[in-house]
Structures are given as structure tokens and as C-alpha cells.
């Protein structure tokens, strides 16, 4: 990848950032780590303060999201989150800063004097994380469902990125799979995978499932559909925000539900950190082509 | 599907249209077939003239394309193609006419007095046919390559609909697969399938393959890349128009090439005809929702 | 299945037996449950004492294993294990008794006056449980490995039933898979799946992996191979008895190991219980053919 | 592989033998080709007479079968088959001779003075060829069935090596697959693949299929089952000898049948030749371990 850059400062964030730092170092770059007080040392990596990590590096990597609701860089491995002090901002001057949700950062620091890039808004980042999310969802199903995926009746709601990845994994594990989507072309893809394709409007015609994965961020599984499809099911909701399940009704009906958010960081921080690294590499490559 | 329609007239076209008629009849509709002089009879189907088929039917299905370069409806199963006579146009009045490349028809008959629908421009039609095309391409490879797909080094150029379908089928048949694409998100999907993902700009770094499938309608495989990747390969070009292979250079180099066009109608007319039928059903359903 | 039998007594055992009882009842049979003091009631199932459950039933199902080292039927859901009292033996007279490890039972009750069948020694039982074990092993890997299976370097040692099931699941999840076996025909199967096949004798030539699954009940992963293949790996040992891993050396080297035994009952008791039921059905069918 | 051998003589046979010679030469060995009069030259390979090819080589490879019904080595690429002349036998003295159906050779030449090995009786040879046969059968289905495998209703009779390979390939191509077997453990494997498993004795309960693959060398598809399952199907019989289909009844019923024998040599001679080579390598490795 090398385009004349040699040094990366990884500042704040969770295990993903640690694995991102690890992967950068394994690729031969100089890496400084800031905002990880509880990490004492890491092979070939300079564990230091956010200020020094920024000062020593040409490229700075902030976590996803770059700023929390307190306006600070999240730092769960330190006693407190990291403030954007004038010193830290000075150390970032003239450098390339990569982060998730760049808008928050840009709003907080209107004239940062640094070039800010957002890895989170790259579609490749979303695709790679969808695969991680799908695998995380499947591991949740394996742990919480008392049978196997193999042979079980599964339903996936939505055929976006996560729905696509789930469809491939579940069919290949031998689930009896139904996938629900809206667009006719998605239904055609689903059928081609050997799964049963069902329009959302026809969901009420189906019978009960063993495991239901929702990926649609809209109230899809209301109390009526829950009663029809989920009376004996484990329901895993992967939709962001409020999710797509009427959790109140589900609880009343005794249906097991899991609202699983941010699976990549939780289930597979190593892969998630490598995805951050790869996305940053690709952005740099495109910059310097 | 039934929305009050009961009768379909299938007029002109090749085996696909015959299978479309068959599938409609098996669903319980009244079907008339026009423009198939060499077909003497078909179970439960009225084999007749184009005019009568149009007259007897509420819905009329024309082939893909609807009109040939001679301005007539292609009818390879008859002595000649079908003219749009005033009689035939009168018989079509007030009816629903489904065809591929509706623009040609609209241009030829500016005021047809019929509602014209184009099944070819529906994305679901393209998706379903991409799966058929991919399977047809694989059968061509099986016939023309002297080894098996299983264990062979395959390259797919392009990750559109056909490239996606090919990727899934080839990996699952045990090919050692490399797929080339342009967009970073496509490369991420390709990697998630267990295939090797390569940017187009890095193709020249690869070594020779056993089978190469091109899906890109642009001059991708020029003489340089042919020499590098294809010296011992079978090259199957699925791109429409002139294709994406420098066929002249390939011939000079002794490379086997196949420019495979219109595979669905040739390799799997039954499935291709059922896709026409299903797409028409979906259009009608949306109309009458 | 019905061959004139109507009543099953499920006596002792863990969750598997509960799910077996559930599945029998859902098929329409009369089911009595004995030895589950902590279970208060179950829909359509008579929860009672082992003696009554035996008395009321034509067919009696004991757990796997049928007898513990204390000579009693294991009953983890009761205060104590179940003694083979003269009363209980009398109630079992003239009936069909299905159990795992029938030899133990036959030894303890030389003349039981009942026909004893062993579902555990049926190969179909082993096959179905191998699939469950493989899925359980994959869930352990998903939970304990900080990356995803997708894209990770995995090694499976052994190509028996569990190795076969693991190979299919791991390749289809997108792992970069190597499988080691002894027999040339197994190596041929492995290659046909798109995985890398390696003889045991050539393992020392490989480099380090992310996840290693051992299925061979012999000391395969000694300290030398651990150092070579597993320095950064998660090692999951599925081999019964002492397993196939030098756990002492692994601990000294800081390698994460899991010796995972009896996965079906732990990970997927519902499927495991249904497998018991299906195997019993098949034995009965063969008896009465 | 090298164990001190440097020279191979490939004598008689079809395209498989040619590809075997090609693969040996590409591995760096000296290769002489005998009994291929219509082949004028091959890069790096000595094209000569059977006698000279035998004389110049340490290892001699005869085709499958080694001897035809005329007692000669089959040589379809020459004007006549190759006689085992005293000269040829003398040239083979003290050498290693690999062939298929060694018994025929041993019977014809009771004291050959050569060590005779049979690659055909190795199970790895059978496994690798089963995969080639399965792929060949699928290509036959793709060519002769007017629809796609994807989405079609397929039936595989028998779950031996070819049945196993077919099951994996057909499910992954998106067929709706039923597999029939006798042993309960095979039925358990079939279910785990996501296919429908059916005992042979229950076949008469099924409805009609699109494509039926028979692998059982016994009269399985009699006129009754043909009428029940195959009235609209393409039937591909892969069983050796007389096959397993009542071809007479099938023809009377207008059912399309293909009795496909020796597919590896016909469909994929390159892979089939490489399998011969690999099997010989493995035999030599075991000899000199």
C-alpha cells in the first residue's frame, strides 16, 4: 500500500482499534496507540498518550463513532474519554485523520487544519461489516436456539447487505430458509439461491419458524406477525435504532428476542479492525493514484 | 395470480414462447398460439394463426425482441416472420400486450390502441435470466474444456448480475476462482465468497487460467492480457454486442474463444419461458393491486 | 411410524430427553416423563415417577449413557439419580427399552425380561450427531475467536464423520480451509470440496492457523506441531477421552484450547433429542417390517 | 514426488493417456509416448513406437483397461491395437507397469518379469473419478434438459461415491433435490445437506421429477417407477453394465434416457489423465516410504 506514509496513530476506541493497530504494525508500519491506559504494552507498538500518538504520526485513526454524545473521543480502555484539547488539535494539524461519522468531528472542530476522511461512509466498509454482522447473528442463533441451524426453519426479513450475507450462510449450513423482500429482483435472487422467496405483503400466509432474523429498520414484526410466525421462534433483530420488532408484544407472548447491535465490534473485533485498516488503505490508494 | 384475466395469446418467437405458453396453460389459463406453423398441436392449447390468437385473448405476449430488423414479429417456427397487418393490429386493440423491447413496437405502431408493457426492462427479468445465462456459460465450459470445473483455475471478469451468479456457482462446484471488479464494495463481496478478488487494474499481475468468463461489454481482454492470462485458457465471452475480447488476437494466438449470446433461449428455453410468464404475472399483480 | 405402539416412557437424562419427549408427544403419542422432579408440568405429557412412567408405557427410553458410574440412571433434573429398583425392573418387564450403551444395562440387569435396544450404536445416530457436533464446534469458534470464520485460516484434523461435516460447513462459510487425513481417498474427497488436503505426515510443513479443530482421538497435536501451527491459533479439540492435544504444552505456550465433549447435548439438546426419537422410530420400523 | 525415477513410457489408450503424458512432462519427467500414430509431435515428449517407449522408460503406463477383448492394448489413436509381442514384453522386463484391470494383464502374461500395479483398484482413483463423473452427468443434464438445474426438481438414486458428489453439486447449483438411499446413515447425511432423503422403498410415494440421475447398478427404475417419477423427466443412468433403468419401457413411454458410461474419459480427459498420474505418484510414494 505504501504511498510514502510510514506512521499511524490509533487514538481511542475499543478492541477494534487495538486490532487495527496490530494489523497496521504487522504490515510493517510504525504505530502509536493513544487512549488505552489499561493496555500496558503491545509488541512493536508505542503505547502512549493521545497527544503523543497524534504528534508522532502522519495518519491518525479515530474510532467509530469519532465523537460520543459528550463531544469526546470514546475511550473505553481508559479511565475517561479523550477530550479534543487545543494541544491534541494542534498535533493533528496538517495530517490525514480517518474516522467514522466524520460529520460529528467536522461540526465540533470547524477548522481542524487536517484532512478528514470517513471510512464508515464507504460502501465497501458496509459490505465487509455486513458479512461480519451476519456471522455474528448466526453465532447468536447457535448459542440461543436449542437446536441446530442445520435443518431448522429460518426466516430472514430484508435482502439488503446483511440479508444477502445471511441468506448465503444459512442455506449453506443446511437451514430450511425463507427470505422476505420487497423488490421483485430481490425475490428472483433469493429463489436462485434455493431459498423460498416471499413478499412482505404475503408474510401473514406463512406458518411458524424456529429462528427469525430481522434486518429491516421499520416496524415489520408487529404483534400479529409475531403471533403467526414467531410463537415458538427465537427472534434476532439486527436493525439499528429501535429495530423492527414489537418487543413489548413479544415479551407479553413469551417470545425470546435479542436486539443485537454493533455485532462486528462485539463478536469479531479482529476482523472488524482489519476492515477499518483495509478501508483506509483503499482510500489512500485512490487519493494517490 | 388471477385478476379477472383468463386468456393469453402467445404470438411468434422461439422455444421460449412455446414453453411460456405451456406454463400458462398448466396454470389453468386458456392459451392460443399464433405463428408456429411447424407446431401441429399442443395439449390444451389452441394452435392457430396470429390473428385468431390475438382475437381470442385478453392478454397478448410477443417475443423478445418484439420486432426484428425487418419490422416483423420474429417467427422462426413459421415459414416467414409475422407482419403487423391492419387486421392483426385491430385484433390487438384494447388489449394488454407484453413484449421485449417495447420501444420498437411503439415506434412501428405509434397509436396501437393497446396497452404495451415491456417485460425485458424489468430488473427481476434481468436477474432471473442472469442465473440462466450463468448456468449456460458453465455448461459451455463443461463441454468445451477438457478438464472439470472442479479444481480448475477460473477467472470471472465483472461482478454485475451474471458475474455474481457465476461466482456463486463456480465456487460451489469447487473451482479455484478469481473474480475481477472495479468497485471496492464488489471486491469485498467477492472476498466474502471465498474467491480471490482482483481490481481490473491489477489483472496484468496474474498468471494463466484454465477458463475465463468475461461479462464486461468493453474491450477488457486485449492482446496483452490474453497473452498473460489466456495462453492455455478457454475464453467464454458473455458480453453483448461486440463482446469484451480481442477475438482477432485470440485467434492469432491459438486461444479457444466462444462468444456466447442469448444463452437463456438457447440453453434453457423452458426456464426462460417460465421467467417471461412470471414477470408478466408480477406486472399484472402490480397493476391491479 | 405407528406400528401398534402408542405410549412412550421417557425416564431420566438431561434436556435431550425432555426434547425427545416433546417430539414424541407432538407426533401424537402418549408420553410419560419420569425422573424430572424439577419439571412441574409439560403440555400433553404426564410428568410422574420413573416407576409410573415405566408402568404406563409400551416403550421405555433411557438416557445416554443408560447407567452412570454409580450404577443408576442419570437424572440431573432430579435430586438424585434413579435406582434400578425391583419395582422399576418389574414395570419394565416385557417392554421395549431403548438406551445408549446398552451393555452397561445388560451387565447390571442380566435378565431384565425386557428387549433392550441401543440407539447409540446405530451409525445413523452417529452421523446425525456428528453434524450437530460440527455446528457446535463452529459456534464455539465463533464465540472464542476474535475474528470471523469467513476469511480465517482453519485447519481440520481428521476426516471421519465430524471432519466431513466440519469441512462442508467451514468451506461454505468462506473459511480458507486445510484438512488433514491419512487415507488417499479422503484426500481426494477433501480436494474435491475446494479445500487444501494434507497428509498427517506433512503437517509440519504448514504455517500457522487461526483456528484448529481436532477430531482424532490420538496424540496428534504434540508440542512440536503446536509450536508450528498453533502459536496464534484457537484450538478446539473434539476428540473423546483424553483428546488429541498436548494441553500441558499448549498452556505453557499460551495457546487457547477448548476440549469440547458431548456438544450435541450441550449446544443443541432439541436437535439431539429429535435424533434419539428418529433413531428409535427407524429401529422400530425395521423390527416390524 | 521424485524417488529416483526419471522416465515414463505411456503406451496406448485415449486422450486420458495423452493428458497423463502431458502432466508427467510438465512435472519435469522424461516421457515417451507409444501407440499414438495419429499424434505427430508433442512438446517435450518423445512420440515413438510402443517398443521404444517401453525400452526407454523406467515406469510404463498402460491404459484403462490394460487389455481389450482382443487381448491387445487398446490404441484408438493408432490404426490398430497394440500386440503384446515378445519384444514389447522383453522391453518391459524389470520395470514398473501401471495399468487398469491388472488381472487381465496378469492372466495374459503369467510371468511378465515386471512389477504390475493397478491404479484402477485404488479407492482414491474411484473417488476422484466419481467427482469427474458427477460433473459430466451435470453437463449432460444441462445440455439435454431444456430448463436449468437451478430451480429444477432433481432425483438422485443411490448415495455411493457418485451419488455423494452429485448431491453436493446439485444442491449448490440450486436444484430442489431428493436423494434416495438404503442405509439409514446415508439418509442422515443426505438430510444434513439440505436435500430430501427418501428410502428406496418409499420412492413410489413421490411425484414426477424434471431430471433423474441413477447411480445404482440394479434394476431400480422399472416401468412402474418410471411412470410415477419420470413421465416428464430426463433420465441419466450412470450405472455400469446394463444400468438401472428399464430402457425398453422408457422408450415406450416416450421418456428421454441417456445411459452415460465412462464419462471421465469422454467429458474431462485432462482431469482424468491427471488423476491417473496422481494415483501413480501416490502408489510410488507408498512403495518407497
Amino acid at each position: 500500500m505504501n504511498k510514502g506514509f510510514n506512521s499511524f496513530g490509533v487514538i481511542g476506541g475499543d478492541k477494534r482499534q487495538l486490532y487495527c493497530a496490530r494489523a497496521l504494525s504487522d504490515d510493517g508500519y510504525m504505530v502509536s496507540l493513544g487512549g488505552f491506559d489499561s493496555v500496558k504494552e503491545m509488541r512493536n507498538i508505542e503505547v502512549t498518550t493521545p497527544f503523543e500518538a497524534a504528534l508522532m504520526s502522519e495518519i491518525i485513526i479515530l474510532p467509530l463513532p469519532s465523537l460520543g454524545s459528550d463531544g469526546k473521543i470514546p475511550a473505553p480502555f481508559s479511565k475517561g474519554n479523550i477530550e479534543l484539547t487545543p494541544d491534541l488539535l494542534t498535533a493533528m494539524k496538517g495530517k490525514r485523520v480517518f474516522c467514522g461519522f466524520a460529520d460529528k468531528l467536522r461540526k465540533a472542530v470547524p477548522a481542524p487544519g487536517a484532512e478528514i476522511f470517513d471510512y464508515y461512509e464507504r460502501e465497501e466498509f458496509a459490505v465487509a461489516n455486513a458479512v461480519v454482522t451476519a456471522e455474528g447473528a448466526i453465532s447468536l442463533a447457535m448459542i440461543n436456539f436449542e437446536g441446530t441451524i442445520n435443518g431448522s426453519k429460518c426466516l430472514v426479513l430484508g435482502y439488503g447487505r446483511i440479508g444477502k450475507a445471511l441468506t448465503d450462510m444459512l442455506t449453506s449450513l443446511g437451514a430450511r430458509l425463507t427470505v422476505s423482500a420487497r423488490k421483485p429482483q430481490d425475490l428472483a435472487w433469493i429463489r436462485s439461491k434455493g431459498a423460498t422467496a416471499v413478499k412482505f405483503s404475503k408474510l401473514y400466509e406463512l406458518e411458524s419458524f424456529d429462528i427469525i432474523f430481522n434486518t429491516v429498520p421499520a416496524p415489520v414484526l408487529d404483534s400479529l406477525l409475531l403471533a403467526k410466525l414467531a410463537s415458538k421462534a427465537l427472534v434476532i433483530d439486527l436493525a439499528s435504532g429501535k429495530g423492527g420488532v414489537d418487543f413489548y408484544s413479544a415479551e407479553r407472548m413469551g417470545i425470546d428476542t435479542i436486539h443485537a447491535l454493533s455485532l462486528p465490534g462485539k463478536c469479531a473485533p479482529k476482523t472488524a479492525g482489519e476492515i477499518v485498516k483495509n478501508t483506509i488503505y483503499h482510500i489512500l490508494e485512490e487519493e494517490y493514484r
Side-chain angles (χ1 to χ4, degrees), chain A residues 217-264:
Chain A
V220 191
L221 279 177
D222 55 21
S223 58
L224 268 106
L225 273 183
L226 282 171
K228 195 97 180 64
L229 308 178
S231 61
K232 298 170 185 172
L234 167 68
V235 177
I236 297 179
D237 191 354
L238 302 165
S240 56
K242 291 185 179 175
V245 178
D246 179 345
F247 289 102
Y248 176 76
S249 295
E251 202 188 336
R252 229 169 15 95
M253 296 178 195
I255 296 171
D256 288 332
T257 56
I258 301 174
H259 193 182
L261 296 175
S262 311
L263 284 181

Side-chain angles (χ1 to χ4, degrees), chain A residues 37-142:
Chain A
D37 298 349
S38 62
V39 174
K40 288 308 162 212
E41 54 176 341
M42 261 176 97
R43 179 171 41 84
N44 286 337
I45 289 175
E46 181 79 20
V47 182
T48 179
T49 62
F51 172 71
E52 283 205 20
L55 202 66
M56 292 162 68
S57 307
E58 293 154 301
I59 290 170
I60 292 163
I61 302 178
L62 302 183
L64 171 69
S66 52
L67 294 183
S69 52
D70 59 358
K72 299 178 187 176
I73 301 169
F77 282 78
S78 281
K79 270 153 258 159
N81 294 338
I82 301 165
E83 270 187 79
L84 283 171
T85 59
D87 274 4
L88 184 52
L89 288 171
T90 304
M92 285 161 68
K93 274 249 156 67
K95 303 191 166 171
R96 275 166 180 74
V97 177
F98 289 85
C99 65
F101 293 115
D103 281 351
K104 286 194 173 183
L105 191 64
R106 286 198 189 100
K107 221 172 165 182
V109 193
E115 235 178 308
I116 298 181
F117 298 88
D118 193 332
Y119 51 77
Y120 178 75
E121 65 181 21
R122 296 270 295 192
E123 198 177 330
E124 67 176 306
F125 186 82
V127 168
N129 275 293
V131 174
V132 181
T133 299
E135 200 178 299
I138 282 173
S139 77
L140 284 177
M142 286 177 170

